[in-house]
């Protein structure tokens, strides 16, 4: 791996093993070898207990060359950028080796940063040597392990030593006294680190440096006995010093030690020398640490628990008085605090407030502890629980959030807390966890002790939620009257009202006006709070809505930028609850752009059943509509069958939004099931189209064409005529949105069977909507005089465009039309799996797509580009194909595919 670095290439060495297996020693030797070879070695380590600020291991590795220190709000983001920039700068001068020990003790931000940088800096001469405990159930560490760059990562697993090897090591270390260690060998577990520590204690000499914190030796009893023997040999002052130090988790500075002992530096000098000479502690730069964590544990075990807690608490109070950030000390104080500890509650609240923008799960952990500590003060506990509710929602713990909200609502400590919990529940989009939701809202809106800004936001957010869920359909009276009562006393309320006006404009089909109302969203989000504002549910919903409007207006790039930024922010801040919302938005943009394979993958990733703040059954309906549209185009029979069943379920429910979405999905699957739509379902599908949006997803402008086609197929020309009139009126009301004009021409051409009008609509759709353009060309061909060269060329062009998008369901339909002209075509290599190879030899849909392209001569990179996948993903699919088909080469794949699939298609 070091050779790769010297050839200006990066790499990763992942080292695993149990505690005391020698990982730290191996990392030390790797750093030394790197220095001898001319590389710059940077070393860091995770810390047990999570007491240090985020990103400390990487910042410590950079040492004095780094100026990024997480000391203020938002600074961890600056630290991440500073670490990356500094590594890039250092790598220009000479190769780098970064060793990171005890990865399992690193904070989430460090793990995510390492995962990102190992990939992003892979082109630099930078070797990462990462060591972690093996067989851990730590999802974040496992995620990092799986995300390391394939092809550039080597793995080394350290196992316990055999008994004979352990005895040889003891003989080397103890010489003639090696027999003294024999009784303890079964307790060491074959771990070389534990063996060295035992030998050092038996030899009564200071052990060598042991890097890494949080280890636990397998010889705890032996260590305690030996440590107790050593303590008995110390003077009283030296014993007090080492006992005091053992109560603390962190390394110890001389000044802090003196303050704990109420002594001057000169007074502790002699006891400290005695402790160092005994091998119990060692000097590490400007601090003192125990020779090994097991030694600290053994010393601490001799302290009565109340005394240990008292010492730890005194240390925390001293550091707080010195200006240490509460976020840094919150984990420590949470362990030692007792119920009713008011200073501890203030520290935990402050730490949660500081951490919330960066990690809601970490902030929630601090507030959970605060809630537990305040159980002797019910009003205080309920106020803390109210603050905990939104953090639990954001970090993906909805059931716990609802349970706490239910408790607060049943017996609120004050009117303001009651109103804030009502607001958080409205933001989540779900039903209230207690009966009589309207009564709770009225109480919050009319109580004189509730701040005006909270009342305004509660009113606006309630109406926004009702619009999203389809409960408020009126575009005028109710919406306008409610907005008039909200006074806009806060930027967040103003932002919510703008979103309300935008959605209200959509009800009136004033889409240009809707787009104008959504423009201030990014600026308003920054005004609220640069760190926390963009993550508020109202801001997320408004931004997603803005992205949907941009996509509808043809500004696909701007829409994609907003969605990608939203996804990245949700991941960066550890807010999994927002991911389904952004993935649905991304899937829709990919669908509109004709990227069906990627869109289908996003639908799977968004997944049914995941609920984000601001979502409800309406968000599930939005995802279902996107899913059905994809299946409609790809012709995936199994998926279409599931969508048809999903539509029946939505139609059977009471929710009006879901009912309309179910009718629309039924329209999309009607052709697959070869069924005409009833007048009732056509009417509901028309209502779906006229409403304009489902949750934060806009109804596509081209959907009116599908409605016209379905109505004509069902013999309901009056419904088709009304849909055409609607499309033309919408285009007239929104002259600045070209897509509406193209859709109106398409609908009119289809209704009138005007081939030239349809051909013009195809041109108007342009390349930004390839599926709509292909459909217009297909319809133009179907309406052309038969037989004619124009019809043939239009069908062929439509087929080419469908295949480029992976719309195999549409492509099959056009191939059938071409056969009427006597033209036989084979599926293009770039399309999704055709009916002939559907389920071929047990391959999945993704594997079939890859196999099809490779069998027709594409390279892995070409296949990746055409399927919108990474080359690594294509390579993985291809390996699975080889295993399932029992072949070993691309040549064998080409021959087998030609014999079993292409020949079958040619004879069809």
């Amino acid at each position: 791996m070091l050779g790769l670095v010297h050839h200006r290439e990066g790499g990763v060495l992942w080292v695993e093993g149990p505690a005391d297996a020698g990982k730290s020693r191996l990392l030390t030797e790797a750093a030394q070898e790197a220095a001898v070879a001319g590389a710059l070695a940077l070393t860091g380590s995770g810390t047990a207990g999570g007491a240090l600020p985020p990103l400390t291991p990487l910042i410590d590795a950079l040492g004095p060359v780094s100026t990024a220190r997480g000391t203020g709000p938002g600074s961890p983001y600056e630290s991440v950028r500073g670490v990356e920039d500094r590594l890039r700068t250092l790598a220009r001068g000479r190769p780098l080796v970064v060793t990171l020990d005890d990865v399992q003790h690193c904070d989430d931000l460090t793990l995510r940063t390492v995962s990102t940088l190992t990939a992003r800096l892979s082109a630099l001469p930078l070797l990462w040597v990462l060591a972690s405990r093996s067989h851990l159930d730590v999802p974040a560490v496992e995620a990092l392990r799986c995300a390391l760059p394939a092809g550039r990562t080597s793995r080394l697993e350290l196992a316990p030593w055999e008994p004979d090897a352990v005895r040889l090591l003891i003989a080397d270390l103890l010489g003639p006294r090696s027999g003294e260690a024999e009784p303890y060998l079964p307790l060491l577990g074959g771990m070389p680190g534990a063996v060295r520590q035992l030998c050092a204690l038996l030899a009564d000499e200071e052990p060598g440096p042991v890097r890494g914190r949080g280890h636990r030796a397998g010889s705890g009893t032996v260590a305690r006995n030996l440590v107790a023997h050593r303590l008995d040999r110390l003077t009283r002052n030296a014993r007090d010093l080492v006992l005091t130090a053992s109560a603390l988790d962190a390394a110890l500075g001389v000044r802090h030690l003196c303050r704990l002992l109420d002594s001057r530096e000169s007074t502790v000098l002699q006891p400290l020398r005695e402790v160092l000479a005994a091998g119990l502690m060692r000097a590490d730069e400007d601090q003192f640490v125990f020779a090994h964590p097991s030694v600290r544990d053994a010393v601490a075990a001799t302290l009565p628990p109340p005394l240990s807690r008292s010492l730890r608490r005194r240390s925390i109070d001293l550091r707080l008085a010195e200006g240490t950030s509460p976020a840094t000390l919150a984990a420590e104080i949470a362990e030692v605090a007792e119920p009713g500890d008011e200073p501890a509650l203030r520290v935990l609240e402050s730490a949660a407030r500081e951490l919330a923008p960066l990690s809601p799960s970490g902030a929630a952990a601090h507030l959970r502890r605060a809630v537990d500590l305040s159980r002797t003060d019910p009003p205080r506990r309920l106020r803390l629980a109210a603050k905990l509710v939104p953090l639990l929602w954001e970090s993906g713990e909805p059931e716990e959030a609802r349970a706490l909200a239910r408790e607060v609502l049943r017996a609120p400590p004050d009117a303001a807390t009651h109103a804030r919990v009502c607001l958080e529940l409205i933001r989540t989009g779900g039903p209230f966890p207690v009966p009589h939701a309207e009564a709770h809202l009225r109480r919050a809106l009319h109580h004189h002790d509730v701040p005006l800004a909270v009342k305004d936001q509660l009113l606006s957010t309630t109406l926004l939620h009702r619009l999203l869920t389809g409960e408020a359909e009126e575009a005028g009276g109710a919406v306008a009257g409610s907005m008039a009562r909200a006074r806009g006393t806060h930027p967040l309320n103003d932002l919510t009202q703008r979103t309300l006006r935008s959605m209200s404009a959509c009800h009136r089909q004033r889409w240009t006006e809707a787009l104008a109302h959504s423009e201030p969203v990014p600026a308003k989000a920054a005004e609220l709070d640069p760190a926390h504002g963009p993550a508020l549910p109202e801001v997320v919903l408004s931004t997603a809505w803005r992205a949907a409007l941009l996509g509808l207006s043809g500004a696909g790039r701007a829409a994609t930028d907003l969605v990608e930024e939203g996804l990245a922010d949700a991941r960066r801040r550890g807010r999994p609850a927002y991911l389904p919302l952004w993935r649905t938005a991304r899937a829709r943009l990919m669908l509109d752009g004709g990227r069906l394979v990627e869109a289908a993958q996003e639908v799977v990733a968004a997944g049914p059943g995941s609920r984000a703040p601001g979502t409800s059954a309406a968000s599930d309906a939005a995802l279902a509509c996107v899913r059905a549209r994809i299946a409609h185009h790809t012709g995936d029979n199994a998926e279409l069958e599931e969508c048809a069943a999903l539509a029946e379920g939505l139609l059977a429910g009471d929710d009006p939004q879901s009912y309309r979405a179910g009718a629309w999905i039924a329209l999309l699957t009607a052709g697959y099931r070869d069924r005409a739509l009833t007048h009732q379902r056509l009417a509901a599908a028309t209502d779906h189209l006229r409403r304009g949006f489902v949750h934060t997803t806009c109804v596509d402008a081209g959907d009116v064409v599908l409605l016209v086609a379905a109505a004509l197929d069902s013999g309901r020309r009056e419904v088709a005529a009304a849909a055409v009139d609607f499309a033309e009126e919408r285009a007239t009301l929104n002259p600045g949105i070209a897509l509406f004009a193209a859709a109106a021409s398409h609908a009119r051409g289809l209704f009138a069977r005007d081939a030239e009008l349809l051909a013009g609509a195809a041109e108007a759709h342009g390349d930004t909507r390839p599926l709509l353009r292909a459909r217009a060309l297909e319809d133009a061909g179907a309406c052309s005089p038969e037989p004619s060269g124009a019809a043939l060329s239009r069908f062929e062009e439509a087929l080419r465009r469908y295949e480029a998008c992976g719309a195999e369901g549409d492509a099959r339909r056009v191939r059938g039309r071409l056969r009427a002209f006597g033209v036989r075509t084979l599926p293009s290599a770039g399309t999704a799996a055709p009916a002939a190879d559907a389920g071929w030899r047990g391959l999945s849909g993704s594997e079939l797509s890859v196999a099809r392209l490779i069998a027709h001569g594409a390279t892995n990179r070409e296949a990746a580009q055409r399927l919108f996948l990474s080359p690594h993903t294509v390579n993985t699919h291809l390996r699975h194909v080889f295993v399932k088909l029992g072949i070993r080469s691309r040549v064998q794949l080409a021959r087998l595919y030609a014999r079993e699939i292409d020949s079958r298609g040619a004879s069809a």
Side-chain angles (χ1 to χ4, degrees):
M1 294 299 290
L2 195 57
L4 284 177
V5 175
H6 278 283
H7 284 88
R8 313 302 293 179
E9 298 179 41
V12 182
L13 175 60
W14 178 269
V15 182
E16 278 190 6
D20 290 320
K23 301 184 294 299
S24 299
R25 189 180 186 89
L26 187 148
L27 263 63
T28 299
E29 292 176 356
Q32 293 171 350
E33 180 183 344
V36 171
L40 175 61
L42 307 175
T43 61
S45 175
T47 304
L52 297 180
L55 213 66
T56 293
L58 287 177
I59 294 176
D60 284 349
L62 288 171
V65 300
S66 174
T67 59
R69 297 287 169 181
T71 58
S75 61
Y77 298 119
E78 299 171 3
S79 299
V80 171
R81 292 194 297 270
V83 167
E84 180 177 356
D85 293 343
R86 193 57 183 151
L87 288 174
R88 288 185 184 276
T89 300
L90 293 173
R92 296 193 191 105
R94 55 174 167 164
L96 297 181
V97 174
V98 178
T99 68
L100 191 61
D101 202 1
D102 285 333
V103 167
Q104 74 276 2
H105 293 318
C106 290
D107 58 275
D108 288 348
L109 181 59
T110 295
L111 296 177
R112 292 197 298 269
T113 301
V114 171
S115 176
T116 300
L117 295 186
T118 52
R120 188 177 293 172
L121 305 182
S122 61
L124 299 177
L126 169 58
L127 173 63
W128 298 82
V129 185
L130 312 174
S132 173
R133 292 267 187 94
S134 56
H135 310 299
L136 286 174
D137 185 18
V138 181
V141 174
E142 185 60 23
L144 169 62
R145 184 177 181 274
C146 296
L148 294 174
R152 290 183 180 271
T153 300
S154 297
R155 304 184 189 276
L156 175 62
E157 184 169 358
L158 302 181
W161 288 17
E162 295 294 332
D164 290 341
V166 170
R167 290 186 174 88
L168 286 175
L169 176 59
I170 291 174
D172 287 341
L173 295 175
L174 292 179
R177 297 179 55 190
S178 59
E180 297 176 24
E182 190 67 23
Y184 309 118
L185 295 187
L187 301 176
L188 301 180
M191 296 294 106
V195 172
R196 292 179 184 277
Q197 180 61 29
L198 171 65
C199 292
L201 292 171
L202 288 174
D204 197 24
E205 61 187 29
E206 184 177 353
V210 180
R211 293 194 60 83
R213 291 167 288 207
H215 288 195
R216 294 292 181 267
S219 56
T221 303
V222 176
R224 282 194 294 273
N225 292 336
L226 292 173
V227 165
H229 177 67
R230 295 251 178 147
L231 290 174
D232 289 340
R233 295 167 59 186
L234 297 177
T235 64
R236 178 179 176 180
N237 289 341
R239 188 163 55 250
D240 288 346
L241 185 150
V242 74
L243 286 171
T244 299
S246 73
L248 311 180
D249 289 333
L252 202 63
V254 174
R255 180 183 175 187
H256 190 63
L257 179 61
C258 290
R259 296 188 67 182
L260 279 172
L261 296 172
D262 290 324
S263 302
R264 297 190 302 272
E265 284 84 348
S266 58
T267 305
V268 302
L269 182 58
Q270 182 57 39
L272 189 55
R273 286 176 177 171
E274 190 179 347
V275 171
L276 293 174
L280 295 170
M281 298 186 74
R282 58 184 172 83
D284 186 4
E285 296 180 357
D286 59 343
Q287 294 182 317
F288 295 94
V289 296
F290 279 90
H292 192 274
S294 63
V295 177
R296 191 200 73 84
D297 292 344
V299 175
T302 65
L303 276 177
L307 179 58
S308 177
R309 285 196 300 270
S310 177
L311 286 170
R312 291 181 66 189
R313 181 55 185 273
R314 176 168 165 75
S315 171
I316 293 169
D317 291 341
L318 288 172
R319 282 178 282 167
L320 282 172
E322 293 169 354
T324 304
S325 167
T328 303
L329 301 173
E332 286 185 64
I333 203 169
E335 292 183 12
V336 300
E338 296 180 353
D341 189 334
E342 183 60 33
L345 288 173
R346 288 197 297 268
V347 169
L348 291 170
E349 277 195 85
S350 178
R353 187 166 52 251
E354 183 178 338
L355 194 56
L358 178 67
S359 173
S361 59
H366 292 327
L367 276 184
R368 274 196 190 99
R369 180 57 176 151
V371 168
D372 181 59
L373 291 173
S374 61
R375 59 181 179 270
T376 58
D377 183 356
R380 179 69 181 276
R381 181 181 179 279
L382 291 173
R383 292 187 187 98
L384 289 170
K387 296 179 180 179
L388 179 55
V389 167
L391 294 173
L392 293 173
W393 275 107
E394 291 174 356
S395 55
E397 300 289 343
E399 293 307 318
E400 185 179 352
R402 293 177 68 78
L404 278 179
R406 184 184 303 114
E407 186 177 354
V408 175
L409 289 177
R410 283 175 176 169
D414 54 71
T417 300
H418 173 263
R420 292 185 187 280
V421 170
C422 288
L423 175 58
E424 296 302 340
L425 287 170
I426 290 294
R427 282 172 165 172
T428 63
F432 270 48
V434 293
H436 312 300
E438 290 296 328
H440 280 283
L441 289 175
R442 286 195 299 271
R443 174 182 173 185
L445 289 170
H446 293 94
H447 202 289
H448 59 84
D449 287 338
V450 177
L452 184 60
V454 175
K455 288 182 179 180
D456 285 351
Q457 188 56 26
L458 179 58
L459 181 63
S460 299
T461 305
T462 299
L463 186 54
L464 175 61
H465 168 68
R466 288 175 177 173
L467 280 172
L468 290 172
T469 58
E471 297 173 22
E473 297 297 335
E474 186 183 0
V479 174
S482 296
M483 288 192 295
R485 298 202 309 274
R487 283 139 294 216
T489 55
H490 190 277
L492 183 61
N493 182 52
D494 181 56
L495 171 64
T496 307
Q497 288 197 42
R498 290 180 181 275
T499 307
L500 283 168
R501 292 189 180 96
S502 179
M503 290 183 168
S504 181
C506 291
H507 280 298
R508 295 177 281 112
Q509 300 304 317
R510 266 65 173 182
W511 292 89
T512 305
E513 179 184 337
L515 190 61
H517 282 306
S518 73
E519 284 181 0
V521 169
K524 288 292 179 182
E527 283 179 26
L528 293 170
D529 179 352
H532 191 259
L536 289 171
E538 293 90 339
V539 177
V540 171
L541 289 171
S542 297
T543 306
W545 174 248
R546 167 76 173 168
L549 290 173
L550 287 172
L552 183 75
S553 66
R557 172 49 57 191
T560 299
D561 289 345
L562 282 180
V563 171
E564 294 301 326
E565 183 180 346
L567 264 172
D569 185 78
R571 291 172 177 143
R572 183 171 60 247
R573 295 171 184 266
R575 287 176 164 83
Y578 290 110
L579 294 179
L581 180 73
W582 290 119
R583 287 193 178 278
T584 299
R586 180 197 258 180
R588 172 55 191 276
L589 290 173
M590 290 174 173
L591 168 61
D592 291 345
R595 298 156 60 189
L596 293 175
V597 173
E598 286 180 279
Q601 292 171 345
E602 285 301 315
V603 166
V604 172
S610 298
R611 290 293 177 86
T615 67
S616 63
S619 61
D620 290 341
L623 179 62
C625 288
V626 175
R627 178 184 175 189
R629 277 274 302 280
I630 295 170
H632 170 79
H633 288 297
T634 60
D636 185 331
N637 291 343
E639 181 72 355
L640 282 166
E641 186 66 46
E642 289 188 22
C643 288
L646 176 61
E648 295 302 323
L650 293 173
L651 287 164
D654 298 329
D655 181 67
Q657 180 92 305
S658 298
Y659 184 85
R660 289 188 295 264
W664 185 254
I665 295 172
L667 183 148
L668 293 172
T669 59
Y672 158 73
R673 307 187 88 179
D674 195 24
R675 293 181 183 175
L677 290 171
T678 64
H679 179 74
Q680 181 183 7
R681 292 195 175 180
L682 274 175
T686 301
D687 289 342
H688 166 87
L689 187 65
R690 288 180 176 275
R691 186 169 194 272
F693 61 91
V694 183
H695 200 244
T696 58
T697 303
C698 294
V699 171
D700 187 60
D703 283 351
V704 69
V705 176
L706 299 178
L707 177 60
V708 171
L712 292 174
D713 290 343
S714 301
R716 302 282 183 176
R717 286 188 61 83
E718 73 285 359
V719 176
V724 172
D725 291 341
F726 164 76
E728 291 175 340
E729 180 184 1
R730 185 178 60 181
T732 301
L733 292 172
N734 302 277
I737 302 181
L739 189 58
F740 285 149
S745 296
H746 192 163
R748 174 61 67 183
L750 184 62
F751 183 77
R753 297 193 59 81
D754 187 328
E756 296 309 314
L757 190 56
L758 289 165
E763 290 299 317
H765 283 309
D767 294 328
T768 58
R769 290 299 180 89
L771 289 168
L772 291 179
R773 185 172 189 176
R775 178 61 188 256
L777 286 167
E778 179 189 355
D779 290 339
C783 294
S784 299
E786 296 184 6
S788 71
L792 180 60
S793 64
R794 286 163 178 165
F795 284 144
E796 289 176 337
E797 177 67 9
L799 177 61
R800 183 183 69 80
R801 292 183 179 278
Y802 280 141
E803 289 184 332
C805 295
E808 182 57 26
D810 297 318
R812 283 201 299 267
R813 185 177 61 248
V814 176
R815 290 191 200 104
R817 294 181 185 276
L818 286 171
R819 280 196 291 270
F821 285 80
V823 177
R824 292 188 177 275
T825 61
L826 288 177
S828 163
T831 62
D837 61 356
W840 182 50
R841 292 199 173 203
L843 300 186
S844 69
S846 299
E847 291 165 353
L848 281 168
S849 298
V850 170
R852 199 157 178 263
L853 287 168
I854 299 301
H856 287 86
T859 65
N860 283 20
R861 185 168 296 279
E862 289 170 344
Q865 291 173 346
R866 299 182 74 175
L867 293 174
F868 303 99
L869 301 173
S870 70
H872 171 69
T873 301
V874 169
N875 187 52
T876 300
H877 287 323
L878 192 57
R879 287 201 308 270
H880 294 165
V881 168
F882 283 3
V883 171
K884 289 183 178 181
L885 298 183
I887 58 177
R888 296 185 178 181
S889 70
R890 303 161 74 93
V891 173
Q892 287 179 300
L893 173 60
R895 290 173 178 170
L896 187 64
Y897 195 91
R899 182 174 65 252
E900 296 189 8
I901 302 301
D902 286 344
S903 60
R904 191 191 316 169
S907 62

